[in-house]
């Protein structure tokens, strides 16, 4: 099957194929819609497209509001894979990290204010709050603070040259020295407790409540000076409990209106009991017996049902029916029916209808004869009524647990500084395909060495002016997105800053580069996709009462006709009503005294809905992943390389057990000129639908007024997916369309932001063309409102409109935050457009207020 030209597919197939595309949401076809991964999917596990902010499965899902992907709406290169904040606007100095190497960095605008407004001002994930500016501000001088502490210390050993800093003095240590990342979440020695939650409710969407809890189980810092080398060390133990998406099901149902044909045959034959053997005494003369056993069909009355009998009751299975040879009472000794009895009513009806079926009986009477109600003898689509397609989505989370031990060592001499960062963790992901294998592999990392930096002593005292680029290089290290690290170790180094003479200013170009190299071991997600047809149009819902189309009834007795002709007069005339058929059934009643028979046939129709239901499933598992990365950072440039290997023991869609990659990216930032550029590429061996080779790039220019209160930004970005797989399973193909070419423009007038994004269908495998308008406003520092509208989108899955209202109770990193979101998604089928409204509530709080700022 190939879904390239759906318009050429007719009938039910077209709708079902379209349903497959829509079921896959942003994973199958990355829409030009910037908020697609929020509004249609409920958040995909793996976000490999560089033009989208990654949705982290291990953290609380993003808000259901418009998540801008343009350069205008998003500052910096995206939520860093190390947990850093978005890159500040080009008016500020800063750094950013890109996402998973399988995906370029999230393309964003250089205007940070617009990014904060239009991309979840109260996002649950805290990384948007932590960056170089909050951890390492240019105005801070923690080195001087530390030097002051050391100069005051009197805890120096008489037998050694080691100067030890007391705990009370270390309490004022700047958290820059202790900030480490647990996957994408920053922690420091001041971190204590963080709690966040996200609740989603939709018209046709069900999602488990997402949450994340971080608890510091104990941490310590130490500092000492030996041989003119200052050593600062941080140890910490943390518990993290959070939800991760494990199963996503999208159910698409095409409701086809149908007309169901059916019929009912009733037949009875009575006669003298003389020919029927009786147990015990002979019946009175003139008694009438039934010459037919009772027959009845049983149906399942619960919908949906195929209206096929579940059982056939015959003879003794029907105790409320006259059995073959059983006396039919209410006749006198001469065999004449008593007035009002069943036999009397049969003769009195005289052709007016069948008597003896259940609905014609009086109290105490039983069914007489055969009553076969065939409710479904065939059905056909009712073209006078319209088809209708429905869509529903259900997302199940699993609660994961991480026990992490972190260690960071920083050494400074008179010329340079080195940093060693080590993270060890045990991650427990219930219901994963191989939990036992995951745990054993993680426990083996206990024997892996710490990142232990070495630095020789010098004759001169250590230089307290540590180079900020050593932290930026370590923090910008590429970490696989949406993954669980069990071992992460690396070493960064940078030359220290020489002291400034009085009145001298330091130029950015004078700050030496920082370098980092490290290894990462962990578990990364793979998605097993499958389809299942749960209803194929042979079961029905909304079944109406039967509607009589035609009816024929015949009755006769041996006293009315020549007994030799009774078969012709009854069955011949009966069948002749429906097709000029005579004498096709040959029953000989001539030997039955007082024979009397009834035959009735009713033709019915029922209106119903025949659902055709397709269920698309995404099952997420986590597989071992090893990655090596290097970073080189200065004031204007950042260069990174990364290579790695994934071992897919689940043998997912690609059918390959090993998947390797090699990639690099480069970023240029010039705040003075308002210019930012970013580019990169990555290549995969054995690519699939989530991990594939691609090239990406972006460039943006901001024009600001002298007072910086007004600015205008132009930008463009692109992603070209080179070899993204288009197969789902073995026999289903869905066009890969992860490529994008985006033009963006934005403006800021004080607290008001405006933006427009235009996605162009440029590449062979591009996302659909679309236009998105966005706006927002800040009401002081505590309340923010943002919204978006999509006037044009050629795709089948469109985020039409959305809004977000955010409240922030304080300006610290851990200040309580509350966000209310609403969005409306439209799914476009051949039969109709289907609307799903979604509502979100997000809350986050923690202590202390700012674990990344000096006390």
């Amino acid at each position: 099957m190939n879904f390239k030209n759906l318009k050429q597919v007719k009938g039910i197939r077209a709708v079902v194929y379209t349903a497959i595309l829509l079921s896959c949401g942003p994973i199958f076809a990355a829409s030009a819609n910037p908020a697609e991964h929020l509004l249609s999917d409920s958040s995909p596990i793996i976000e490999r497209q560089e033009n989208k902010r990654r949705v982290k499965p291990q953290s609380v899902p993003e808000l259901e509001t418009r998540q801008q992907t343009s350069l205008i709406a998003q500052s910096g290169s995206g939520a860093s894979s190390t947990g850093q904040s978005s890159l500040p606007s080009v008016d500020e100095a800063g750094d950013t990290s890109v996402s998973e190497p399988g995906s370029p960095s999230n393309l964003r605008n250089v205007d940070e204010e617009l990014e904060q407004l239009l991309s979840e001002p109260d996002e649950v994930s805290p990384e948007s709050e932590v960056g170089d500016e909050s951890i390492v501000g240019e105005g801070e001088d923690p080195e001087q603070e530390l030097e002051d502490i050391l100069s005051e210390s009197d805890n120096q050993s008489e037998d050694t040259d080691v100067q030890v800093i007391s705990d009370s003095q270390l309490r004022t240590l700047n958290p820059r020295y202790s900030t480490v990342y647990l996957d994408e979440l920053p922690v420091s020695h001041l971190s204590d407790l963080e709690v966040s939650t996200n609740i989603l409710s939709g018209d046709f969407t069900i999602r488990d409540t997402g949450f994340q809890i971080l608890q510091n189980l104990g941490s310590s810092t130490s500092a000492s000076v030996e041989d003119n080398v200052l050593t600062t060390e941080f140890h910490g133990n943390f518990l993290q409990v959070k939800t991760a998406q494990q199963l996503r099901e999208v159910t698409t149902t095409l409701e086809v209106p149908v007309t169901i044909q059916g019929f009912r045959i009733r037949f009875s034959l009575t006669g003298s009991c003389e020919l029927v053997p009786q147990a015990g005494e002979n019946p009175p003369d003139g008694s009438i017996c039934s010459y037919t056993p009772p027959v009845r069909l049983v149906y399942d009355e619960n919908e949906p049902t195929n209206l096929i009998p579940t059982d056939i009751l015959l003879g003794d299975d029907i105790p409320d029916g006259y059995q073959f040879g059983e006396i039919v009472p209410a006749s006198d000794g001469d065999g004449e029916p008593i007035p009002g009895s069943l036999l009397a009513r049969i003769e009195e009806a005289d052709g007016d209808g069948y008597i003896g079926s259940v609905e014609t009986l009086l109290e105490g009477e039983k069914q007489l004869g055969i009553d076969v109600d065939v409710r479904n003898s065939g059905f056909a689509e009712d073209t006078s009524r319209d088809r209708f397609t429905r869509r529903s989505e259900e997302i199940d989370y699993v609660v994961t647990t991480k026990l992490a031990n972190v260690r960071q060592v920083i050494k400074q001499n008179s010329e340079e500084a080195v940093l060693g960062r080590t993270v060890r963790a045990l991650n427990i992901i219930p219901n994963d395909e191989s939990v036992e294998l995951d745990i054993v592999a993680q426990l083996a990392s206990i024997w892996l060495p710490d990142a232990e930096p070495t630095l020789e002593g010098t004759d001169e005292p250590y230089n307290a002016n540590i180079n900020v680029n050593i932290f930026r290089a370590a923090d910008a290290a590429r970490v696989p997105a949406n993954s669980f690290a069990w071992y992460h170790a690396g070493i960064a180094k940078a030359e220290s800053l020489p002291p400034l003479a009085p009145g001298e200013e330091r130029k950015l170009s004078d700050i030496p580069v920082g370098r980092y190299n490290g290894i990462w071991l962990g578990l990364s997600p793979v998605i097993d996709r499958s389809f299942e047809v749960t209803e194929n149009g042979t079961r029905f819902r909304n079944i109406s009462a039967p509607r009589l189309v035609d009816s024929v009834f015949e009755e006769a007795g041996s006293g009315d006709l020549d007994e030799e002709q009774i078969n012709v007069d009854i069955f011949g005339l009966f069948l002749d009503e429906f097709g000029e058929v005579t004498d096709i059934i040959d029953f000989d009643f001539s030997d039955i005294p007082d024979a009397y028979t009834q035959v009735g046939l009713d033709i019915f129709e029922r209106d119903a809905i025949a659902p055709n239901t397709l269920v698309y499933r995404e099952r997420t598992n986590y597989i071992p992943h090893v990655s090596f990365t290097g970073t080189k950072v200065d004031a204007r440039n950042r260069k990174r390389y990364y290579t790695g290997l994934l071992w897919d023991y689940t043998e997912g869609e690609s059918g390959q057990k090993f998947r390797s990659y090699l990639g690099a990216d480069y970023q240029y930032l010039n705040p003075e000129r308002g210019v930012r550029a970013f580019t990169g590429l990555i290549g995969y061996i054995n690519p699939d639908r989530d991990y594939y080779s691609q090239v990406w790039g972006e460039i943006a220019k901001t024009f600001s007024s002298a007072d910086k209160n007004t600015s205008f930004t132009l930008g463009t970005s692109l992603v070209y997916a080179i070899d993204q797989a288009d197969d789902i399973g073995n026999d289903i193909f869905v066009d890969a369309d992860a490529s994008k070419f985006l033009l963006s423009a934005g403006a800021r007038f004080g607290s008001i932001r405006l933006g427009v994004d235009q996605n162009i269908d440029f590449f062979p495998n591009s996302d659909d063309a679309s236009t998105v308008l966005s706006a927002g406003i800040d009401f002081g520092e505590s309340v923010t409102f943002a919204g978006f509208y999509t006037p044009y989108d050629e795709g089948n899955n469109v985020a039409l409109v959305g809004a977000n209202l955010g409240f922030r109770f304080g300006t610290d990193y851990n200040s309580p935050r509350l966000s209310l979101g609403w969005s409306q998604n439209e799914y476009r089928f051949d039969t109709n457009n289907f609307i799903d409204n979604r509502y979100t509530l997000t809350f986050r709080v923690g202590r202390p207020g700012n674990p990344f700022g000096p006390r």
Side-chain angles (χ1 to χ4, degrees):
M1 294 185 287
N2 194 304
F3 296 2
K4 183 68 176 177
N5 298 310
L6 288 178
K7 294 181 179 179
Q8 299 178 1
V9 184
K10 306 299 182 181
I12 296 176
R13 293 171 54 201
V15 178
V16 173
Y17 293 171
T18 306
I20 292 176
L21 289 176
L22 294 176
S23 299
C24 301
I27 295 294
F28 280 11
S31 168
N33 189 330
E36 173 180 317
H37 68 288
L38 301 175
L39 304 177
S40 67
D41 75 25
S42 60
S43 342
I45 293 288
I46 305 178
E47 208 42 74
R48 304 300 173 204
Q49 291 73 33
E50 197 52 37
N51 50 331
K52 296 182 181 178
R53 168 176 286 182
R54 297 186 318 280
V55 178
K56 299 163 286 301
Q58 68 271 28
S59 65
V60 178
E62 310 267 359
L63 296 182
E64 292 292 333
T65 186
R66 189 60 161 193
Q67 176 74 25
Q68 294 294 330
T69 62
S70 69
L71 297 173
I72 303 309
Q74 300 182 13
S75 171
S77 65
S80 111
S81 57
T82 63
Q84 271 190 280
S85 66
S86 307
L87 181 71
S89 67
V90 292
D91 299 322
E92 308 172 29
D95 185 37
T96 185
S97 299
V98 295
S99 59
E100 157 68 26
S103 61
S105 101
N106 305 315
L107 305 180
R108 301 194 179 188
N109 185 292
V110 292
D111 189 347
E112 183 187 24
E113 295 296 323
L114 192 61
E115 183 272 338
Q116 292 177 351
L117 180 66
L118 297 182
S119 60
E120 299 118 43
D122 292 291
E123 180 179 346
V124 170
S125 178
E127 64 225 30
S128 61
E129 303 299 325
V130 182
D132 289 332
E133 295 69 45
S134 59
I135 299 178
V136 188
E138 289 294 329
E140 302 173 10
D141 192 5
E143 294 80 11
Q144 185 60 45
E145 298 172 8
L146 185 59
E147 189 172 21
D148 293 341
I149 294 174
L150 293 173
S151 65
E152 298 171 1
S153 175
D154 56 2
N155 189 20
Q156 184 170 357
S157 171
E158 296 180 357
D159 300 328
T160 68
D161 294 329
V162 179
Q163 184 179 11
V164 181
I165 314 304
S166 66
D167 292 340
S168 61
Q169 294 168 328
L170 283 171
R171 292 194 184 102
T172 59
L173 179 68
N174 191 294
R176 171 197 309 189
Y177 285 83
S178 63
T179 297
V180 181
Y181 290 87
L182 299 180
D183 298 328
E184 299 178 354
L185 184 67
V187 297
S188 76
H189 71 286
L190 299 179
S191 298
D192 184 13
L193 175 66
E194 295 178 18
V195 179
S196 56
T197 185
N198 180 284
I199 301 173
L200 179 144
S201 176
D203 294 343
F204 303 96
T205 301
I206 300 174
R207 189 177 73 185
D208 292 342
T209 298
F211 65 88
Q212 177 174 262
I213 301 173
L214 174 71
Q215 176 64 61
N216 188 336
L217 301 179
S219 61
S220 63
T221 57
S222 63
S224 62
V225 179
E226 181 179 6
D227 198 15
N228 287 327
V229 175
L230 168 65
T231 302
T232 307
E233 188 166 347
F234 164 60
H235 288 269
N237 296 294
F238 294 88
L239 170 66
Q240 187 180 44
V241 180
K242 57 188 175 182
T243 53
Q245 182 174 311
Q246 192 164 70
L247 180 64
R248 174 175 177 254
E249 289 188 351
V250 178
T251 301
T252 306
T253 300
L254 170 63
E255 297 179 346
V256 180
V258 296
T259 300
I260 307 171
Q261 290 81 35
F263 61 88
R264 183 183 186 185
I265 294 179
R266 290 173 290 181
F267 168 63
S268 70
L269 175 63
T270 58
S272 174
C273 296
E274 298 175 7
L275 302 181
V276 179
Q278 298 289 331
E281 298 181 1
N282 293 328
D285 293 339
S287 296
I288 300 298
C289 291
S290 173
Y291 279 76
T292 54
V295 178
R296 188 186 305 164
L297 303 183
V298 178
Y299 290 88
D300 181 5
E301 301 297 338
N302 299 317
E303 295 186 6
T305 177
N306 54 15
L307 294 180
I308 301 298
T310 59
D311 196 6
I312 300 178
L313 302 182
L314 175 65
D316 293 337
D317 295 334
I318 307 177
D320 59 343
Y322 292 108
Q323 306 298 320
F324 178 82
E326 184 179 353
I327 299 174
V328 181
S331 58
D332 60 19
D334 297 329
E336 294 297 326
I338 299 175
S341 66
L342 179 60
L343 294 178
R345 297 203 314 279
I346 292 175
E347 293 194 2
E348 291 170 0
D350 194 18
D352 291 339
Y354 189 93
I355 303 295
S357 54
V358 174
E359 68 273 15
T360 64
L361 300 179
L362 300 178
E363 185 177 357
E365 296 179 339
K366 298 191 293 185
Q367 175 182 326
L368 178 63
I370 298 171
D371 188 350
V372 177
D373 180 15
V374 179
R375 300 182 183 180
N376 180 11
S377 60
F379 63 93
E381 182 175 356
D382 183 358
T383 56
S384 65
R385 294 183 289 159
D386 294 330
R387 295 180 173 189
F388 191 83
T389 305
R390 301 181 184 275
R391 180 189 186 277
S392 63
E393 184 171 345
E394 183 172 355
I395 301 172
D396 295 331
Y397 288 155
V398 64
V399 178
T400 69
T401 302
K402 175 190 286 287
L403 288 170
N405 174 268
V406 300
R407 178 174 181 256
Q408 181 158 285
V409 180
I410 299 174
K411 295 184 177 182
Q412 300 168 243
N413 64 14
S414 61
E415 299 176 354
E416 62 180 342
V418 292
L419 178 153
R421 180 177 293 178
T422 307
V423 177
R424 285 186 172 86
L426 174 63
N427 303 275
I428 301 176
I429 308 173
N431 302 324
D432 199 42
E433 187 161 319
S434 184
V435 178
E436 297 81 3
L437 178 61
D438 295 342
I439 293 177
V440 171
Q442 293 178 80
L443 292 176
S445 67
I446 295 176
W447 287 275
L448 295 176
D450 281 7
E452 196 69 56
T454 59
L455 193 62
E456 294 182 356
T458 58
D459 295 333
E460 300 294 329
Y462 69 88
N463 186 349
N465 293 319
I466 192 169
N467 187 344
V468 67
N469 285 331
I470 193 174
F471 299 103
R472 298 175 65 213
D475 294 345
R478 175 261 176 184
V479 173
N482 312 314
S483 301
F484 294 83
W486 76 58
Y487 177 77
H488 185 198
I491 294 179
K493 59 179 58 181
E495 295 181 7
S496 298
L497 304 178
L500 293 175
E504 183 182 2
E505 294 183 359
R506 195 184 308 278
K507 297 180 181 180
L508 292 179
S509 58
D510 295 335
I511 302 177
V513 300
R515 292 178 172 85
Y516 172 86
N517 289 281
I519 182 175
W520 183 95
L521 291 172
L523 299 171
S524 290
V526 291
I527 297 179
D528 179 22
R529 299 177 174 88
S530 63
F531 293 96
E532 179 185 3
V533 177
T534 58
E535 293 181 295
N536 59 5
T538 59
R539 296 167 64 86
F540 309 103
R541 297 174 179 168
N542 302 334
I543 303 171
S544 68
R547 181 174 59 252
L548 184 63
V549 175
D550 203 350
S551 178
V552 62
F553 173 74
E554 294 292 339
E555 63 178 333
S558 57
D560 302 322
L561 301 170
D562 182 352
E563 292 178 352
E564 297 294 335
Q565 299 297 320
I566 191 170
N567 61 324
V568 176
D569 291 333
I570 297 296
F571 290 95
L573 294 176
F574 169 72
L575 295 172
D576 187 57
E577 290 281 336
F578 301 97
E580 301 295 332
V581 180
T582 60
D583 207 20
I584 192 172
I585 300 178
D586 187 10
F587 288 104
D588 186 1
F589 303 149
S590 58
D591 293 335
I592 302 177
D594 300 323
Y596 197 95
T597 185
Q598 300 177 98
V599 179
L601 175 63
D602 299 320
I603 305 297
F604 292 101
E605 288 182 347
R606 290 176 171 87
D607 293 328
I609 297 296
N612 295 264
T613 301
L614 179 72
V615 178
Y616 162 69
R617 293 186 178 91
E618 292 176 354
R619 178 65 164 83
T620 301
N621 290 296
Y622 291 86
I623 62 174
H625 184 176
V626 57
S627 175
F628 299 88
T629 183
T631 309
K632 180 180 179 181
V633 175
D634 62 27
R636 293 273 186 267
N637 306 278
R638 190 202 64 202
K639 303 173 184 177
R640 304 196 311 176
Y641 79 88
Y642 25 81
T643 184
L645 178 70
L646 295 99
W647 176 34
D648 188 358
Y649 55 79
T650 66
E651 298 188 51
E653 294 172 2
S654 68
Q656 303 292 337
K657 286 191 175 182
F658 293 96
R659 187 177 299 108
S660 59
Y661 60 86
L662 175 65
D665 59 59
Y666 168 75
Q667 176 182 279
Y668 172 78
L669 177 68
N670 191 326
E672 292 80 8
R673 295 187 178 183
V675 176
R676 184 171 68 87
F678 180 68
T679 186
L681 75 162
I682 189 169
Y684 273 88
I685 296 177
N686 299 324
D688 63 6
R689 197 164 190 88
D690 302 309
Y691 299 90
Y692 51 87
S693 306
Q694 55 185 292
V695 178
W696 63 91
E698 64 174 82
I699 186 169
K701 169 67 176 177
T702 297
F703 305 89
S704 301
S705 62
D707 60 2
K708 304 295 183 180
N709 194 46
T710 302
S711 64
F712 181 72
T713 305
L714 293 175
T716 184
S717 61
L718 64 86
V719 178
Y720 177 50
I722 300 173
D723 52 11
Q724 184 185 22
D726 60 358
D727 59 310
I728 304 297
N730 298 323
D731 56 356
I732 297 179
F733 296 86
V734 180
D735 289 335
D737 55 1
S739 299
K740 275 182 178 291
F741 182 43
L742 193 67
L743 300 177
S744 302
R748 177 171 59 88
F749 306 98
S751 62
I752 300 176
R753 284 93 176 159
L754 303 173
V756 58
D757 302 318
Q758 177 64 53
N759 186 61
I760 301 174
D761 188 354
F762 178 77
F763 296 105
N765 56 346
S766 285
D767 194 7
D768 298 298
S770 65
T771 302
V772 180
L773 306 177
S774 52
I777 185 171
D778 289 339
F779 301 97
E781 296 183 353
S782 300
V783 181
T784 302
F785 179 80
F788 73 91
Y789 171 63
T790 306
Y792 171 74
D793 196 315
E794 294 181 353
N796 294 326
N797 184 353
V798 181
L800 292 177
V801 63
N804 187 81
L805 181 62
F807 302 90
R808 185 165 184 169
F809 307 96
T811 58
D812 288 337
Y813 171 78
N814 275 332
S815 295
R817 286 179 289 171
L818 174 67
S819 183
L820 305 174
W822 163 77
S823 62
Q824 187 178 86
N825 236 32
E826 180 180 64
Y827 303 92
R828 298 171 179 175
F829 300 96
D830 287 348
T831 57
N832 58 279
N833 294 341
F834 189 74
I835 299 295
D836 187 12
N837 291 286
R838 297 184 178 183
Y839 311 89
T840 57
L841 185 150
T842 304
F843 181 73
R844 182 182 184 276
V845 69
R847 66 173 184 246
N850 188 6
F852 306 105
R855 289 188 175 183

